[in-house]
Each structure stands twice: as C-alpha cells, then as structure tokens.
Amino acid sequence: MLSASTSKQHHLAIPPPRSCDTFVFVGATSSSGTLFGKNSDRPSDENHEVIRIPSCVQYDKCDSVECTFISIPQAQETLDCILSKPCWMWGCEMGANSFGVVGGNEAVSTLLADELLSPDDGSPTKRLLGMDLLRLSLERGKSSKHALDICIELLEEYGQGGPCCKEDSDWTYENSFLFADAKEAYVLETAGISHWAWERINAGE
C-alpha cells in the first residue's frame, strides 16, 4: 500500500507534456492530397485569433509592409490567406492560402542561438520573427516550394530574431518551418540569424 501511494505521488509530480509540433503526410488519400496539422505551446494566457487576409494585386513598388518589428518592401501581389496568430503579432503560427499551400512553424534551439542577441546588452535584436517569415511566405507562395524559396530569400536578406512574447522581452528563438501542398512538402530548419537547411518530403512520407 505504501508503495502504491508513493508511486501515485511521483506520477502527480510529473509536469504535463508540452510540445509545439507540425506534421504532414503527403498523399494521405487514394485520390492524393495532404494531411497537415499543428499544435502549439504558446503562453496559455496569450490571446490568439483566426483572420482572413484578402488577396491584393495593386501594390506599388514603393509600398512596404509593417511586420512585427521591422518594415520590408511589399510584394506586388499577395494571396488570400487564413491565418492563426497571436493577437499582438503581425506574423502567424500557421495558415493556408488560396493556392492550397499550408504552413506552420515551431521554435528550435541550436548552438548559433547567441547570434540572435545584441552584443551590447544581450537582448534579442529585432528582425523578422519566425511567424513573420511564415506569413510572408504564405501571402506570396503559390506552391510549397515557392513558399520555401521565399522564406529562405527573406531569411538571408533580413534575418530572424526579436522578442517572441509580449510579456517577456528576453524570450527569443530560432525557427523550423513546414510548408506543404497537395503534391509535396518541405521542412526548413534555421540556425542563428540566417543559416538554413531544407528537406523535401515526397508522396507517401
């Protein structure tokens, strides 16, 4: 009896599982198609919203887009998107566009994470957040490969970084992305400010 009681107390002491993961299975049905899903471990008291961003094809070359912390040149055309995002942030944690491209991101930690911090005071340097990169890729990418290429291009040009929580200005992280459409998917891993590597996921994987 004592042993059972001790075991129960130990079980209750285990913290609840937490994870922020995105998964995909390409060719999930006999008629082709892709199964995509994501869960999140964002702060429990953070307000989220699901929004629709209509397409636009009338941007001028001089227009810019205000992301969470920085502004960058706007694309001439953006696509119709449905996005799930923290309310305070411009970017999104997952979303889909009118061309059937879906995407999600999650935090990763590498040996290059210190690149994200200012050498002066150790605070996160404000660049594009991972969620900004995801939204920009979904607003502009007409296939999963196109979204991947856009994300890499923006990462190389502007870098990633900045506070990832409104209530904790010291919390920052590198990002992993998953882009998918009905035919294929791509995993993009990042490290530091602008290092990256990707892998293609074929049908049946």
Side-chain angles (χ1 to χ4, degrees):
M1 192 67 173
L2 178 61
S3 175
S5 176
T6 302
S7 175
K8 183 177 181 180
Q9 290 177 1
H10 176 70
H11 174 71
L12 293 175
I14 298 175
R18 294 181 60 193
S19 67
C20 186
D21 295 299
T22 308
F23 72 88
V24 69
F25 183 76
V26 181
T29 67
S30 58
S31 60
S32 77
T34 294
L35 177 66
F36 174 90
K38 179 173 173 23
N39 68 312
S40 173
D41 64 352
R42 295 292 301 177
S44 59
D45 59 350
E46 182 179 70
N47 292 325
H48 283 233
E49 59 186 358
V50 177
I51 61 172
R52 179 190 173 194
I53 306 297
S55 61
C56 184
V57 293
Q58 298 180 343
Y59 290 113
D60 294 327
K61 291 183 178 180
C62 59
D63 286 343
S64 62
V65 53
E66 293 279 347
C67 301
T68 304
F69 297 121
I70 67 171
S71 298
I72 68 169
Q74 179 61 283
Q76 187 172 359
E77 175 188 8
T78 58
L79 308 177
D80 198 337
C81 293
I82 295 178
L83 309 172
S84 176
K85 58 186 286 295
C87 293
W88 68 272
M89 189 184 297
W90 184 83
C92 68
E93 192 167 18
M94 60 181 168
N97 69 27
S98 54
F99 277 72
V101 180
V102 294
N105 93 306
E106 53 272 335
V108 295
S109 180
T110 78
L111 296 177
L112 299 180
D114 284 349
E115 288 186 6
L116 305 183
L117 306 180
S118 167
D120 298 326
D121 58 11
S123 63
T125 301
K126 294 179 178 179
R127 301 183 182 92
L128 289 175
L129 290 178
M131 294 195 205
D132 294 338
L133 288 164
L134 178 60
R135 175 170 172 175
L136 290 164
S137 301
L138 291 173
E139 286 188 346
R140 303 176 182 194
K142 296 183 178 181
S143 70
S144 57
K145 182 59 165 60
H146 190 201
L148 171 78
D149 291 340
I150 290 170
C151 194
I152 291 172
E153 180 181 340
L154 293 169
L155 182 70
E156 290 183 335
E157 185 166 357
Y158 302 103
Q160 65 179 344
C164 296
C165 179
K166 189 175 183 180
E167 307 303 328
D168 184 358
S169 60
D170 292 327
W171 185 33
T172 191
Y173 49 76
E174 299 142 302
N175 293 269
S176 175
F177 302 89
L178 180 58
F179 298 104
D181 56 36
K183 297 180 179 180
E184 60 184 359
Y186 293 87
V187 176
L188 173 63
E189 301 281 348
T190 73
I193 297 172
S194 57
H195 307 280
W196 55 267
W198 62 262
E199 180 180 5
R200 183 175 185 263
I201 301 174
N202 298 306
E205 297 180 344

